[in-house]
Amino acid sequence: MRIRWPRRVSGQVLAAQLSITAGVMVLATALFLAPLSSEIDSRAMHEALAIAQTTAADPDIARDLAATKPTPSGPVQRAAERIRRSTGALYIVVLDSRGVRWSHTTTARIGEHVSTDPGEALSGREVLQIDVGTLGRSARAKVPLRAGDGRIIGAVSVGIGYGSVRAQLLAAVPRLLLYAGVALAVGVLAAFAVSRRLRRRTHGVAFADISALLDEREAMLHGIREGVVAFDRRGRIRLVNDEAGRLLGIHPDATGRTLEESLPPGRATDVLAGRVDGADLLTVSGGRVLVANRMPTKDGGAVATLRDRTELELLGRELDSTRGLLDALRAQDHEHANRLHTLLGLLELGLHERAAQFVAELTNARRASAEQISERVHDPMLSALLVGKSAIVAERGVALRISPATLLPGRVVDPRDLVTVLGNLIDNALDAVAAHPSPTPFIEVELRAEGTTAVLRVSDTGPGVPPGMREQIFTEGWSTKRPAPPGFPDGPDAHEGSAAVTPRGRGIGLALVRRLAERYGGMARVTARAGGGAVFTVVLPEALTGDDTPTHEFTAAGESR
């Protein structure tokens, strides 16, 4: 029957652990038995040495060896046998300097020459060895036998039966195997416990499934158009997919570092680190509006997801502008109807010259306003923005003025960035002025070039910004507006004097303005206007080209290219 290797990770780990545990126990037992045998042999030889030394130290044996002859009933044989029986030695042989036995277990061998060379012992050295003699294999020791004056007159050879040595070894084996079996049983139980826990943690997947899951995970994480950043329990980054790296500007080598080491301090870092609570939190990173969510994991870490909402934010602002233009057109429709009625009345009264003058005045006023903007702002997108905003501002009873210092050539590197900055500042100023009535409310716009640097300045007659809040208003999430109704895009920020942290979806406009300015290496600040109100100034270095050639043109359909 063919043994099948388990497919599940837990089964394979269990089989590997059992194999390793059994192998380790067999190896440990073998490694223990090998030195144990040598240790028992050494102990037996030293036991024989101790008996031989004790026998050789008996002065009667040395005296009898010099005074008597080797006989089975002689005093040397009787003394040797007495010591042998009391110590349990296999034999005790006393021999003279010629190598002739004076004692032996077999009395018939007394008087014969020994079977092994006694030269080393007779020369004064002690000998330890495992050898085979006339009584079989034994652990033996030989020591010199000295007379009272220290002369070597013979030697004593003692043997310990090897059967008793092997018996000690065999007696130790069952106990050793018992210990090994207990250790093996504990290892098997631990392996089963680990296997069960691993089966629960891996949900019964196989190794092949793990490889496929990892491939799918990598493809999914790096293929989705949503940023994913994973953190461990210590707040260190352990995964950044391609989209998160693009949105946050994090390099792939940020893995293993903390968030503070990879991102500058600010709201984006606080949101990703979990220091700001909530869902769908808005933040700005690198001039992009992001929606962030953070979800904790079971191991104490967290996973943060990021969605790029920049285009949606721009579309929302365009929708706001479009809605304002529609309101303005609706109001102008009524105004146009009133003017037609006035013109009709003049014609019916026969005042033809007055009617012609009335029409000319209306036409020239509109033409003069548009021509004034186009003469001072040469970029088509920016001048179109100002013309459209002037209609919206006028509808809300506010005048949009173009500063006499305004002069911006049509060599803007990226008009969309300037449109974003200028549109946010005008909308912000309009909301502030509308919420703070004054006799002559107005918004003044100044656009000028200083070499390749574009300077944008928007002032208003609103309530102004208190000095203590002039940095806070550029913080993501700062706003004084009420939340937008569900389904409507968020409007720009306001500066009504009382700061509050914005509800979800607000406090992005001015933060986006500052981020765009910082991306260009410039700055955005707010100061007080003489006579009341606020002045927002944005400096964008290298926002203009070095020549007078426009960097874009409009097609007949009105699209920039």
Side-chain angles (χ1 to χ4, degrees), residues 7-131:
R7 293 185 66 253
R8 292 183 176 180
V9 174
S10 57
Q12 293 188 20
V13 171
L14 175 61
Q17 286 181 324
L18 292 178
S19 301
I20 293 173
T21 302
V24 168
M25 293 308 304
V26 171
L27 180 61
T29 303
L31 293 177
F32 183 78
L33 286 176
L36 178 62
S37 177
S38 300
E39 176 66 21
I40 292 176
D41 287 348
S42 177
R43 286 172 54 188
M45 288 187 292
H46 281 83
E47 182 181 353
L49 177 63
I51 297 173
Q53 289 173 339
T54 302
T55 304
D58 189 345
D60 293 338
I61 293 177
R63 185 178 59 251
D64 292 339
L65 182 67
T68 62
K69 293 182 179 181
T71 60
S73 60
V76 175
Q77 169 69 3
R78 290 196 303 271
E81 282 298 301
R82 176 174 51 79
I83 296 173
R84 184 187 67 80
R85 286 192 295 269
S86 64
T87 58
L90 176 64
Y91 64 85
I92 297 178
V93 175
V94 179
L95 52 107
D96 58 16
S97 57
R98 297 171 299 169
V100 176
R101 299 188 186 97
W102 285 65
S103 66
H104 197 278
T105 306
T106 305
T107 56
R109 295 186 179 277
I110 296 175
E112 296 180 355
H113 197 278
V114 294
S115 59
T116 58
D117 183 16
E120 290 189 37
L122 293 175
S123 64
R125 292 192 295 271
E126 296 179 346
V127 179
L128 295 174
Q129 60 186 187
I130 302 293
D131 204 352

Side-chain angles (χ1 to χ4, degrees), residues 273-345:
R275 291 189 284 268
V276 180
D277 295 329
D280 293 338
L281 297 172
L282 287 179
T283 183
V284 177
S285 176
R288 308 197 71 83
V289 181
L290 307 178
V291 179
N293 285 281
R294 179 184 167 97
M295 180 67 66
T297 56
K298 291 182 179 179
D299 62 354
V303 174
T305 59
L306 300 165
R307 283 175 287 143
D308 190 355
R309 190 177 152 170
T310 306
E311 301 301 329
L312 182 61
E313 189 75 15
L314 293 177
L315 289 175
R317 297 187 185 281
E318 290 181 7
L319 180 60
D320 280 345
S321 299
T322 303
R323 186 181 294 113
L325 285 173
L326 289 176
D327 292 339
L329 289 175
R330 189 178 298 109
Q332 289 179 3
D333 179 57
H334 293 287
E335 183 181 356
H336 183 63
N338 293 331
R339 289 170 179 172
L340 286 179
H341 293 157
T342 302
L343 180 60
L344 178 61

